[in-house]
Amino acid sequence: MQAAAMRGAPQWLRGLLSEEFFDACAAHPGERKNDKNHFCIDCAAALCRHCLPHEHAHDVLQIWKYASCFVVRVDDLKVFDCTGIQSHTVSDHEVVFLNERTARKRSASAENPCAACARPLLSGHDYCSLFCKVKHLGESEHGLRRALRVSRQEVAPTSEPQSGKRRPLSSSSSDSGPSCSGSFRKRSRKQSEPTQAPFY
């Protein structure tokens, strides 16, 4: 992926668009169905099903395959505005392609070409994929910033309880992905406050 195309993109978005999903998870090589088909936005890391349950306060996306390409449900991607990206309906869910598609011929003279790659689109859409929107908006000074929505970590970085410190973002999404889930302390959602016996 071209570095210029990802200008101004946060680490999680660069990781999401550059990750090779459905590869075997390095942290669980002996497990069945260990393909990496989840992505943690807070850790900027890919996860397999055995890395879950992940830190429950983090935003974790499930990645799907449609037409041999990686897609994500629009409703799940709450930290990015997918407006303008041509979506598709898969099992009653609206999905968008993560990466630029290469199978179909591009045509700048098409009635409604993708603003980034000139792939023909249905009327009313500007981009064929999340990558194309990021690439096109990244060429303007403030365009990509407007499409990004603030995550919980950016809203309240100090609101995390002391008993569950958040791990800082990793510098490499592909290398650190599988290991990030094992580094968190498990929290019991059923844990109750201790009570003191009454004095008589």
Side-chain angles (χ1 to χ4, degrees):
M1 183 176 298
Q2 309 96 320
M6 300 300 292
R7 183 188 312 147
Q11 183 180 356
W12 71 264
L13 189 53
R14 295 196 303 269
L16 179 65
L17 295 177
S18 62
E19 183 66 58
E20 281 298 322
F21 293 102
F22 293 91
D23 284 350
C25 176
H28 301 95
E31 300 287 350
R32 295 182 60 225
K33 297 183 179 180
N34 65 344
D35 45 323
K36 296 183 293 183
N37 61 350
H38 291 80
F39 186 83
C40 177
I41 290 178
D42 293 82
C43 297
L47 309 170
C48 78
R49 61 182 296 179
H50 304 290
C51 296
L52 305 174
H54 191 59
E55 168 61 41
H56 72 269
H58 286 200
D59 285 329
V60 178
L61 301 172
Q62 183 164 2
I63 310 301
W64 307 84
K65 269 190 178 181
Y66 173 67
S68 301
C69 298
F70 304 142
V71 299
V72 65
R73 291 175 177 171
V74 174
D75 290 341
D76 293 342
L77 192 57
K78 297 179 175 63
V79 292
F80 191 88
D81 182 7
C82 293
T83 302
I85 305 175
Q86 181 170 308
S87 61
H88 306 266
T89 303
V90 180
S91 299
D92 297 326
H93 291 282
E94 185 181 9
V95 303
V96 293
F97 288 99
L98 289 184
N99 303 112
E100 177 184 3
R101 302 172 66 194
T102 58
R104 192 173 177 182
K105 185 178 180 181
R106 280 99 169 99
S107 175
S109 61
E111 184 176 343
N112 187 43
C114 173
C117 72
R119 180 185 177 88
L121 301 175
L122 296 176
S123 178
H125 300 91
D126 301 312
Y127 310 100
C128 69
S129 65
L130 179 63
F131 172 81
C132 281
K133 181 169 184 175
V134 171
K135 177 182 178 181
H136 185 250
L137 294 183
E139 295 173 354
S140 63
E141 185 176 356
H142 301 294
L144 183 58
R145 189 174 303 173
R146 286 195 296 266
L148 293 168
R149 293 168 176 166
V150 180
S151 68
R152 288 196 300 269
Q153 184 176 359
E154 293 168 334
V155 171
T158 59
S159 63
E160 193 74 12
Q162 293 297 321
S163 60
K165 295 181 180 178
R166 186 187 298 277
R167 175 175 173 160
L169 289 179
S170 163
S171 60
S172 172
S173 63
S174 59
D175 294 337
S176 64
S179 62
C180 66
S181 66
S183 65
F184 292 103
R185 181 184 304 173
K186 291 185 178 179
R187 298 177 186 172
S188 173
R189 299 184 182 182
K190 297 181 180 179
Q191 185 176 0
S192 59
E193 291 295 327
T195 57
Q196 185 175 3
F199 292 98
Y200 295 102

